[in-house]
Amino acid sequence: MERHLTIYYTSDIHGCFSPVQYATGERMPSGLANCLSQFQKDGNTLIIDGGDTLQGSPLTYYLSHEIHDVVTLPAQLLNLGGYDFVTLGNHDFDYGKEAIERYLDSLHAVCLCANVEGIRGVQKTAVITMENGLRVGLTGIITPFVTQFETPENMAGITVTDAFAAAWQALSELRRKQVDLTVCIYHGGFEADVKTGKVLSQTGENQGWRLCRELGFDVLLAAHQHMEAENLLIGGTYTCQPPDKATKFIRMDVTADRGSVHAVSRLVPAGDQPFPAAMETIEPIEKQLNEWLDTPVGHLDVPLPGGSPLALAANGSLLANFFNQVQLAVSGADISVTSLSNQVSDFPQIVTIRAIICAYAFPNTLKTIRVTRKVLKSALERSMEYFDVAPDGSLRVSRAFLEPIVQHFNYDYFANLTVTADLTQPKGARVVSIVYQGEELPEGKELTLCLNNYRASGAGGYEAYKACPLVAEQPTEISELIMQYVEREREITVDKTRWLHLLHA
């Protein structure tokens, strides 16, 4: 007997609940409230979220730092939307175990995460019978890299096990329960090109391709990479992935008949009509938020221009210099490294909280490690892989930083270290000079380097940092350190040094 199921799927909302661009205050055709207005739920519909809900926008920053309650509003919105199941994303751990448990206590949806132990309210599997009699078995898993991304304090009392093994065990359990359809909600992406199967990464952070090819779930709902993917069939598993910040969601229509499953998924734009009940919940908080965001805290001697990521990487960025300037002042380290978001807007001379939070969008904390020339050379070579040289001598971004997702944020900007790279040389042999305090850095000399905790974990292809001795760490988020620095200094002269010199023609 043929039975039908509709799935609405969001993921990586990152605190983008309302249709607002916080950098400008303008309305945008995005946000969870707009997505909710398009969900049509009946007894044969499931609404699911793939994690990374609690962090990532000025609103969630305000909720966590000023209201001191980052969980109630997101839970209220998902409840209004009629969500049935969620899994956890790595950024949902940014506030620690107690916050996650309060979030799940407030949530009507069931949280599934088969490779997470120690969090109250998390289940490994669930079976639900739809109105038409279809028995749907579900599980959730998260990338184990959350243990690398997060601080030990945030992971206290929590165990994260291998994602693939947990998914296999969960699938086996669901099959024993004789369900008609199996669904895996995976806060992870694809390690291979979803069209060609070409392996792009072997780190284990993303295992979606392997999960589809080797396990045999009927449906795998992927996340984490912020990559748009619809209507894919990989190894017999129907899979898809929505982009971040609730600009689009997935609608999947599934048909099950006598052991045979067929599914069609499509990306649906959020649209420009918000769900009224959601906006009624958000607007009182947003009014307070906007007053707080527009508070001036200091003044720079020059504005910091944005621009294309390629131009900034090649020519230097005053915004990156400013971030490094703050990190050096806070840490006392010899040298500093930072990165920028995929999109970089102009940063004003009159500095507001809005400008800082929008410019430094990561929830990172600051670490100081001890490095050698060998470590720095390895890290710099990784950043120099960002560039390709076209036949006419012009620069372009290499495919390695564009596929499977756009990752300009994995290009790094150094300060207090003058670097020369020859891009006509093969990748891995481009860095020709590393100068510290006017002299070429000797092989045996050690320096202290301040960087964010994400990069210190080796993420983004910077494995050389993982083995470096830890000198110090700051538990305060870097965006807050920037605010404190500006409030303290008030009148700031920005470092205008060009720390990188490229040879390519």
Side-chain angles (χ1 to χ4, degrees), residues 84-162:
D84 299 287
F85 297 98
V86 303
T87 195
L88 296 172
N90 54 288
H91 283 295
D92 295 324
F93 290 74
D94 286 349
Y95 311 101
K97 174 181 173 178
E98 189 269 340
I100 295 175
E101 291 181 339
R102 285 193 292 111
Y103 170 59
L104 299 183
D105 285 344
S106 302
L107 203 60
H108 296 164
V110 175
C111 180
L112 300 173
C113 212
N115 64 326
V116 169
E117 303 275 358
I119 299 177
R120 185 183 68 249
V122 174
Q123 300 182 25
K124 293 185 183 299
T125 62
V127 176
I128 184 171
T129 301
M130 310 310 297
E131 191 175 90
N132 59 19
L134 183 72
R135 282 173 55 79
V136 183
L138 303 100
T139 189
I141 49 176
I142 183 174
T143 172
F145 270 48
V146 63
T147 59
Q148 294 188 34
F149 300 153
E150 281 298 337
T151 63
E153 292 78 11
N154 285 342
M155 298 302 295
I158 302 171
T159 301
V160 181
T161 60
D162 180 74

Side-chain angles (χ1 to χ4, degrees), residues 266-281:
R266 62 186 178 92
L267 290 159
V268 182
D272 57 8
Q273 296 299 317
F275 187 50
M279 293 309 297
E280 288 174 11
T281 303

